[in-house]
Amino acid sequence: MSAMKYKKNKSALSFLLGSLILIGLSVMHLVQGQADLSIGDLFSSWDQRTEAIMGVRFPRLMVGILAGGCLAMAGLVLQTMTKNPLASAGTLGINAGAYLFVVIGTLFFPGVNASFLFSFLGACFAAFLVFMLAGKTMSPVRIVLTGMIITLLFGALTSSLQLMYEQESNGLFLWGAGTLMQNDWSGVAFIWPFALFLGLLAILSGKKFDLIHLGDEAAKGLGLPLRFVKTWGWALGILLASATVSVVGPIGFIGLMAPHLVRLMGIRGHRLQFVHTFMWGAVILIAADVLSRLISPNSELPVGAMTAFIGSPWLMYLAYKAARKMRSDKQKLTSSKKTLNPIVVTISLIGVSLVVAYVSISFGGGQFTSIQEMFAGKLVDQVTIQFRWPRVLVSFLVGALLALCGALLQNVLKNPLGDPSIIGITSGGGAGALLILVVFPSLPYIFLPIGAVIGSIMAVLIVILATKRSGFEPISLALMGVAVSAMASGVIQILTVKASLSVSPALVWLAGSTYRSTWDNVVWLLVMLVILVPFTLSLSKHLNVLAFSNEVSISLGSKVKLLRITSIVIAVLIGAVCVSIVGAIGFIGLLAPHAARALVGSAFQRVIPVSMMIGGTLLIIADFLSRYILYPTEIPSGLLVALVGAPYILYVMRKL
């Protein structure tokens, strides 16, 4: 009896605390805005200020409370269905799928006013992909990483559509980052029935969800219709997330944080957990919106960026706990048993690269320059020299350097998922470079790579330190890298809006593009290539030894720690400088070394030149296609690479 009484008192205390915090945040939320209001104005007689409160601010507050509660409940039920503490609508790709389909509906079916229908279909499609690709074991870390990679893939597709249809989708940029901005009560009128009825159904289903925690066999033994309950649970989570995305856009991490917070308070049983989770989800989202408006009182800052910034450390902590259970020092970088002559392969790749470069330089204004015109000097005119040549050269040099970066990371971490974009170098460098650009706009260009290097170093340090205990186990390292990338992306979104950067240039830079390449960029990259490649080749014999266990490497006379630190420093420098020049181009560092090992084996002195040639050629091809596919509209080459790279990561994961 005393235990039951203690449980009720703890639940009541938690609910009271959350209610008081929510009331306080709500008052702060209502008085925030461009027009100065006081708490007394909330209770004054009806005037224009009261109309502003009731017509704009109060709907925004109510949408925030309902959306936060729905996302939190969706996270709780998804964590129960997957038995996965890392699950939520954001981490499983459900939000990204809903967002992609809403954009598709807006662009291609403008006369159909059914954003919820498109949102629901997209969420279902994303959940289906995660379920099919994660494997039968449904490992907690694996299923979340699968969801996050699908999020990257859907994000690339969404960004491509927004850039191709810039005018039609211009109003979707802020909504796509997650915003509570409301101009009337229509959003509240749409979402409250979902919150009320689905919330009540979730509470009524609480006892059945409790039985799932006992295990499938035990639940069946107690008479639970397991398949029906799990289907209903998935449907409940998807419906709650879809309704929210259709009104406020994809807001992540609420569904991850709120259920954990409730469980940490000692609330047990799904019926109580749903009630408390709804309230604390509302608290977190309103707090994030209050904070975003404090940071940027004169411009609308996406609350989704703020929740990503706040929630990413929580995901890092959960990923760290998962990594501690996944100790692995047996990772190997596999190569083809039948390898080719590296000299022949390298010469062949040089030939392919020259042909691709010629085609890319020849294309301009929607037409090709023929070979006869080339010899007549058409490829050496002023326009070609100033614009096309540096763009092609930058594409090749960035692709080659990113391939070298990926080869180093995969070798030193013994991790087939090693890539600057996966372990946070790219996004960290982007955040650092943009921070310099926004906070210190008068500084000369030389400081942009410095900011990128600092950002990349911080990101990599977090990832490496957090996964050290697991022996840099591939999946846990990739998950930690995605968490760090999510935080850096939140910082980038906040800085982008804070600096009032226009939508299209911001999307292009975030996606990665060689559009503004100059001869100065070529010089920078050539200097790095001339310095770092010979130095790395001189270490290749020692780096080959790292493929063995630490004990064997040390017994062979290698200074393992020094080699690892040196390799990581080189990788960070490469990734940061490339980001500062062309933006966030990912996956080249993943694809090129894998292809090189398949051709010439895993010896590092062979992998380096071959992977660099493959990486450079791939990025030239991507850059050419980005200009040619939808001419005169240009797609960032980083998006094209992501459309190939994200599925390849899923393929590599299936083999791990």
Side-chain angles (χ1 to χ4, degrees), residues 583-600:
I585 293 180
F587 302 109
I588 291 287
L590 176 78
L591 296 169
H594 278 275
R597 284 192 292 271
L599 291 172
V600 297

Side-chain angles (χ1 to χ4, degrees), residues 46-236:
W46 193 276
D47 57 15
Q48 288 184 344
R49 289 176 296 182
T50 310
E51 289 180 4
I53 294 171
M54 295 303 296
V56 178
R57 298 189 186 183
F58 200 59
R60 179 175 185 142
L61 172 65
M62 292 305 299
V63 160
I65 292 173
L66 294 170
C70 287
L71 288 172
M73 288 195 298
L76 175 59
V77 73
L78 290 172
Q79 288 172 17
T80 301
M81 292 304 103
T82 59
K83 299 177 184 177
N84 186 345
L86 299 172
S88 71
T91 56
L92 295 181
I94 291 173
N95 281 351
Y99 178 30
L100 172 62
F101 274 58
V102 168
V103 171
I104 291 173
T106 302
L107 296 178
F108 301 112
F109 304 96
V112 180
N113 187 16
S115 60
F116 171 71
L117 176 61
F118 289 113
S119 177
F120 178 73
L121 291 174
C124 289
F125 181 61
F128 173 76
L129 284 180
V130 171
F131 189 79
M132 294 298 295
L133 294 171
K136 294 181 179 179
T137 58
M138 297 291 283
S139 163
V141 176
R142 186 180 292 271
I143 191 174
V144 170
L145 185 57
T146 302
M148 290 184 171
I149 294 168
I150 287 174
T151 298
L152 292 175
L153 177 59
F154 283 179
L157 289 169
T158 304
S159 297
S160 299
L161 289 172
Q162 287 179 288
L163 287 167
M164 285 187 284
Y165 300 91
E166 182 182 345
Q167 296 299 323
E168 296 86 346
S169 64
N170 195 46
L172 294 174
F173 179 73
L174 185 61
W175 174 84
T179 179
L180 302 183
M181 186 170 59
Q182 302 289 307
N183 295 321
D184 52 38
W185 287 88
S186 59
V188 177
F190 177 82
I191 198 174
W192 79 259
F194 288 93
L196 177 61
F197 293 113
L198 292 178
L200 288 174
L201 288 173
I203 293 171
L204 292 174
S205 305
K207 293 292 185 182
K208 294 181 175 61
F209 293 150
D210 288 340
L211 295 178
I212 292 179
H213 274 304
L214 301 176
D216 291 354
E217 296 301 323
K220 287 180 180 179
L222 292 171
L224 182 72
L226 191 62
R227 181 173 295 182
F228 172 78
V229 173
K230 284 193 172 183
T231 303
W232 159 238
W234 276 98
L236 178 63

Side-chain angles (χ1 to χ4, degrees), residues 488-616:
S489 297
V491 173
I492 289 171
Q493 283 185 329
I494 292 170
L495 292 173
T496 300
V497 176
K498 186 70 176 174
S500 300
L501 297 176
S502 61
V503 174
S504 183
L507 282 173
V508 170
W509 187 81
L510 293 174
S513 174
T514 57
Y515 176 68
R516 298 183 183 276
S517 300
T518 65
W519 283 106
D520 289 338
N521 300 148
V522 174
V523 172
W524 267 97
L525 293 168
L526 278 173
V527 169
M528 286 193 65
L529 196 75
V530 170
I531 294 174
L532 294 180
V533 173
F535 179 69
T536 307
L537 284 171
S538 69
L539 297 175
S540 58
K541 291 184 179 179
H542 299 287
L543 292 171
N544 283 330
V545 179
L546 292 181
F548 302 104
S549 65
N550 290 344
E551 292 77 10
V552 173
S553 300
I554 293 171
S555 67
L556 291 173
S558 294
K559 298 178 180 179
V560 175
K561 288 186 178 180
L562 181 60
L563 280 173
R564 282 185 170 170
I565 291 172
T566 303
S567 299
I568 291 172
V569 167
I570 294 173
V572 168
L573 285 172
I574 291 172
V577 171
C578 289
V579 166
S580 67
I581 292 174
V582 298
I585 293 180
F587 302 109
I588 291 287
L590 176 78
L591 296 169
H594 278 275
R597 284 192 292 271
L599 291 172
V600 297
S602 57
F604 206 67
Q605 62 271 24
R606 296 182 175 186
V607 170
I608 290 176
V610 174
S611 62
M612 290 180 68
M613 290 302 306
I614 293 173

